[in-house]
Structure formats: structure tokens, C-alpha cells
Amino acid sequence: MRLRKLETNIRIYDSVDELSAADQTLLQSAGQAMDLAYAPYSNFKVGAAAQLSNGTIVQGANQENAAYPMCLCAERVALGNASLNYPEQKLEVIAIRVRNENKAVPEPAAPCGSCRQAISEMEDRQQQPIRILMQGDDSTVYEVESGQALLPLGFNRDFL
Ligand code: THU
């Protein structure tokens, strides 16, 4: 038997003030998107803002539906938005903000498994990692270097 260890580094910033001006702007944009989320069923609002290689910021927010499984996650709305409107650009960073209207969420929430898979696919597609910033109610920000860092042993095109 051999043991294979998979490690993920999370950089934790106690305050957004520790971030670059560009990253702060991106988190603000994710916050604006979060406010526009359509989440009447879960009351859990998620906003995403992706910074592209030309500096453009593209937003996404979760879009719920009375037919629950149709709900769209903010991250994948942002990825689709970027891919359709700026097909030549690469996604460099994605900032994710969350707010639960029913309770405090002090800790940043990481993307769900499906969004990790979608971000991972985009990284393969553009041959470049996408840095991820996450923030909850508090000023604390988590940063990981890529979507694939959040999806160890992920399934990808190499298997097909
Ligand atoms: N949601 C996201 O937008 N992104 C995630 O990564 C996790 C979940 C949304 C989907 C649904 O509208 C609500 O949050 C509760 O699951």
C-alpha cells in the first residue's frame, strides 16, 4: 500500500485591506452581483465576479426557480457570461461572495462541487489556473490558487 497525499493551501486574509486594490474591486463587484441574486427559495444569495485578462470584470449571481433543480449557481453564470461575451479572454481570478438572509455566515463559502468541476474545466480549456477569492459576512477572505486546488483527484478530459 502506498499513501498519496493531496494538499490544498488556503491563504487567509483577516481583512480585505490586505488585498491588492484590484482584488478588493473584484470582491466589491461580487458583492454587487450578490445583491442582484434571484434566490427567493433558499434566501442564500451568491455573487461572483470574474476578472478577465483584458481587465474586464464579468459578473454572475445565482438564479433560482420554483423547479428547484433548475437553480443556477453564481459561479457558473459568471463562467458562461465570460465565455460567451469575451471568448478570446482568459479568466484570471474569480471572487465569490455569499449572504444568507436567515443567518450569519461569517466564514467564506467555497464553490459547490459542480462549480469546482466547471471552473476546473475552464482552467483546462484556457490552459491557465483561475485564482479564487471567497468572502462571507466578515472581512475575512480565503484565497486558493486554482479551482483544481479545490478539486483534488478531479475528473477531466484526459480520461475520455
Ligand atoms: N449556490 C451558488 O450559487 N454557488 C455555489 O457554489 C453553491 C450554491 C446557490 C445555488 C442556490 O441558489 C443557493 O446557492 C443555495 O444552494
Side-chain angles (χ1 to χ4, degrees):
M1 194 277 274
R2 286 182 295 138
L3 191 64
R4 181 172 162 195
K5 247 188 182 171
L6 301 164
E7 266 184 358
T8 300
N9 290 315
I10 305 172
R11 283 185 285 272
I12 300 175
Y13 301 90
D14 291 329
S15 166
V16 287
D17 298 335
E18 293 178 53
L19 301 171
S20 68
D23 283 355
Q24 290 184 38
T25 301
L26 200 61
L27 278 163
Q28 278 164 13
S29 178
Q32 287 163 4
M34 178 178 72
D35 289 337
L36 294 172
Y38 178 65
Y41 305 104
S42 71
N43 291 312
F44 188 77
K45 294 190 166 189
V46 186
Q51 191 200 291
L52 310 184
S53 38
N54 69 356
T56 304
I57 293 177
V58 171
Q59 294 168 307
N62 53 332
Q63 306 293 317
E64 298 192 342
N65 193 286
Y68 291 175
M70 285 179 62
C71 292
L72 302 174
C73 287
E75 295 90 331
R76 277 176 284 161
V77 171
L79 290 183
N81 189 357
S83 159
L84 283 169
N85 290 302
Y86 301 93
E88 307 303 328
Q89 302 301 315
K90 293 185 177 185
L91 274 90
E92 294 189 339
V93 195
I94 187 164
I96 302 159
R97 297 271 301 269
V98 298
R99 183 172 67 238
N100 188 331
E101 308 283 11
N102 300 321
K103 67 170 196 174
V105 184
E107 210 189 343
C112 75
S114 296
C115 288
R116 293 177 199 204
Q117 185 73 30
I119 294 168
S120 169
E121 178 81 18
M122 184 60 82
E123 290 174 338
D124 285 342
R125 190 172 161 188
Q126 65 179 22
Q127 289 296 294
Q128 192 174 295
I130 301 171
R131 190 162 56 88
I132 305 178
L133 296 167
M134 297 155 262
Q135 188 183 10
D137 298 333
D138 286 358
S139 192
T140 308
V141 175
Y142 287 179
E143 178 188 52
V144 293
E145 64 188 3
S146 67
Q148 287 174 13
L150 285 180
L151 193 66
L153 220 62
F155 184 78
N156 61 52
R157 55 171 75 173
D158 295 340
F159 293 104
L160 303 177

